[in-house]
């Protein structure tokens, strides 16, 4: 205890990593305890925490989950002992990057417990177009004890200003968009296959939300871990991978309880979202009418409210970026009290709004270019078809365009007609019930369309055979009085005889969005419906 207390009294000037006195105190405590001993030293020079670990490792205290401001470090450096002359290890690097410490330094001890050398690592900015996996830290190999140390304060200042410069130039949310998908299931027959299917769907949803999926992880367990969902060890490995791949967000396939979400976020310091939040984020991007926006924000708040921690730190985790995006240009309002007030206001506005549907009808009449909406399940190929039809596959990358409207394209037909083709959110399997009103709201444009293309993934047996479900959904979404063509997509992936059989159904076409020639029939079918009036 005495040795530890002495450590707390040490002061370390900013121009050096550590002082001989602090190193000596740490070494003494290590020798007496036979364990690693560490100090978290604040830039002000005081020792904020002293920790005693095991012979081979050390656990840092919860030093606050609040992420350090963008481009800044935590103003704390870890100085600790290594008993067996071993270099810095993965745990050290994880703490360094995860907690954005100023530095992690290890004092390597001789068998007699005297400082022998020091090795240290610090965070460095990754170059703009670094390949995934590029390390975000620099390691300095052990330097014999007693050699001059670099000027710590100057080094950190230079690094921070470099980080700030890069943060400023980084396109907005580019990093927020990097996500890892996680599915955890219970071991039972068919679980592996089901997990694959669900992962595919989740991936498609993520893409729809504009998320860059960097990796996906499936874990089958005897039992879902009530606290961490994944096993604790697995969660650690996910975290290490996430740091390596510069991932900002974990997206879980299963819905998380508020406690699970905050436990995992606290442990990893990453943004944690579940499937419902991802879906809500898609809706938020797609809602267009006032009514739709209200519906979406209402659903978001209802889901988010119980997930707001008492402390303010949930604020940083939820504002902005995926999952924190409100409809339109707004940010999802956060903060318990404000959220509750906003909820009440929204509910009232929605009631008033119900009468104002005429706004929509007016819009439709003022624009006489026919609108064709593509509907169908996620992953059916809606976006691919839209791109193929308009041959405008580049627009998605163009931020300027993206803010206008990514989902509607003008298409000039060979015979001179112009139509607008628009993509929809798409049907989502296992849609959380609470989201239906918001989901419905995103179909307003489709409801006003002149023609629906109901896209079916012909290679997906489930989708092909569950026509009744689709019909029911179309009724519930009020889409049943819009003329419709059923289009089986992905013909390239099915047996030609099946393709032929499907094509026999009335009002049905079979295409492959990847094969431009096959789209001819579709364009012809559209054209025959919107033949221009023969001018006199
Ligand atoms: P959406 O969710 O309905 O918008 O589906 P996407 O357009 O994102 O397509 C989902 C996946 O199906 C993508 O990987 C596409 O490349 C793929 N895809 C789309 N159309 C076809 C097709 O005609 N044939 C094949 N083999 N794959 C396709
Ligand atoms: Mg799509």
């Amino acid at each position: 205890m005495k040795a530890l207390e002495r450590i707390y009294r040490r002061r370390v000037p900013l121009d050096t990593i550590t002082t001989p006195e602090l190193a000596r105190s740490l070494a003494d405590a290590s020798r007496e305890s036979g364990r690693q001993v560490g100090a978290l030293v604040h830039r002000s020079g005081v020792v904020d925490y002293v920790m005693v670990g095991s012979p081979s490792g050390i656990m840092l205290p919860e030093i606050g989950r609040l992420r350090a401001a963008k481009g800044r470090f935590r103003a704390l450096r870890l100085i600790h002992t290594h008993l067996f002359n071993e270099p810095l290890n993965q745990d050290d690097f994880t703490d360094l990057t995860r907690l954005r410490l100023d530095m992690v330094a290890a004092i390597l001890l001789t068998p007699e417990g005297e400082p022998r050398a020091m090795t240290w690592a610090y965070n460095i900015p990754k170059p703009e177009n670094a390949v995934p996996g590029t390390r975000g830290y620099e390691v300095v190999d052990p330097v014999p004890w007693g050699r001059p140390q670099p000027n710590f304060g100057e080094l950190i200042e230079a690094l921070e200003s470099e980080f700030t410069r890069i943060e400023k130039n980084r396109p907005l949310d580019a990093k927020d968009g990097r996500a890892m998908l996680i599915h955890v299931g219970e071991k039972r027959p068919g679980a592996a296959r089901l997990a694959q299917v669900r992962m595919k769907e989740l991936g498609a949803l993520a893409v729809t939300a504009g998320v860059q999926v960097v990796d996906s992880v499936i874990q089958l367990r005897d039992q879902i871990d009530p606290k961490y969902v994944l096993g604790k060890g697995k969660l650690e490995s996910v975290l290490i991978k996430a740091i390596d791949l510069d991932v900002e967000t974990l997206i879980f396939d299963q819905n998380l309880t508020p406690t699970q979400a905050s436990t995992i976020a606290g442990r990893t310091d990453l943004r944690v979202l579940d499937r419902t939040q991802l879906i809500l984020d898609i809706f938020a991007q797609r809602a267009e009418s006032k009514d739709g926006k209200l519906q979406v924000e209402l659903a978001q708040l209802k889901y988010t409210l119980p997930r707001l921690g008492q402390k303010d730190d949930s604020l940083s985790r939820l504002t902005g970026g995926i999952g924190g995006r409100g409809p339109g240009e707004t940010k999802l309002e956060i903060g318990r009290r404000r959220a509750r007030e906003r909820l009440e206001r929204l509910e009232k506005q929605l009631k008033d709004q119900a009468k104002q549907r005429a706004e929509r009808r007016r819009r439709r009449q003022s624009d006489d270019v026919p609108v064709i909406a593509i509907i169908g399940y996620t992953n059916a190929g809606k976006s691919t078809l839209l791109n193929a039809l308009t041959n405008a596959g580049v627009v998605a990358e163009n931020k300027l365009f993206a803010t206008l409207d990514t989902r509607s394209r003008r298409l000039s037909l060979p015979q001179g007609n112009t139509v607008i083709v628009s993509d929809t959110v798409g049907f989502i399997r296992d849609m959380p019930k609470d989201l239906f009103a918001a989901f419905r709201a995103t179909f307003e444009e489709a409801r006003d369309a002149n023609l629906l293309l109901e896209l079916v993934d012909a290679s997906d047996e489930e989708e092909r055979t569950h026509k009744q479900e689709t019909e029911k959904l179309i009724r519930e979404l009020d889409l049943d009085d819009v003329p419709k063509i059923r289009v089986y997509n992905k013909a390239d992936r099915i047996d030609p005889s099946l393709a032929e059989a499907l094509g026999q159904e009335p009002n049905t076409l079979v295409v492959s969005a990847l094969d431009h020639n096959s789209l001819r029939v579709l364009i012809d079918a559209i054209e025959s419906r919107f033949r221009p009036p023969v001018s006199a």
Side-chain angles (χ1 to χ4, degrees), residues 273-344:
L273 294 181
D274 62 19
R275 187 169 187 270
T276 297
Q277 284 169 304
L278 180 66
I279 293 172
L280 279 168
D281 191 79
I282 296 172
F283 293 172
Q285 295 177 53
R286 303 298 173 99
E288 269 170 10
S289 67
K290 202 164 172 192
D291 198 48
K293 286 178 181 165
L294 290 176
Q295 290 281 11
V296 171
E297 200 182 342
L298 192 68
Q300 281 183 311
L301 283 176
K302 279 188 173 161
Y303 199 75
T304 313
L305 197 56
R307 284 168 171 73
L308 288 180
Q310 301 293 344
K311 282 183 286 172
D312 264 347
D313 60 356
S314 48
L315 232 146
S316 60
R317 213 172 295 286
L318 278 165
T319 32
I322 21 165
R325 195 162 21 208
E329 296 294 295
T330 60
K331 268 189 182 168
L332 187 55
E333 279 211 50
I334 299 301
R336 276 176 167 275
R337 198 175 42 107
R338 280 179 55 209
R340 221 175 270 121
E341 284 167 9
R342 177 90 181 126
L343 239 171
E344 277 163 27

Side-chain angles (χ1 to χ4, degrees), residues 377-384 489-490 492-493 512-514:
Y377 276 98
T378 303
N379 210 40
K382 297 181 296 301
S383 306
T384 311
N489 187 31
K490 309 197 186 181
D492 54 301
R493 294 182 58 185
S512 165
L514 298 182

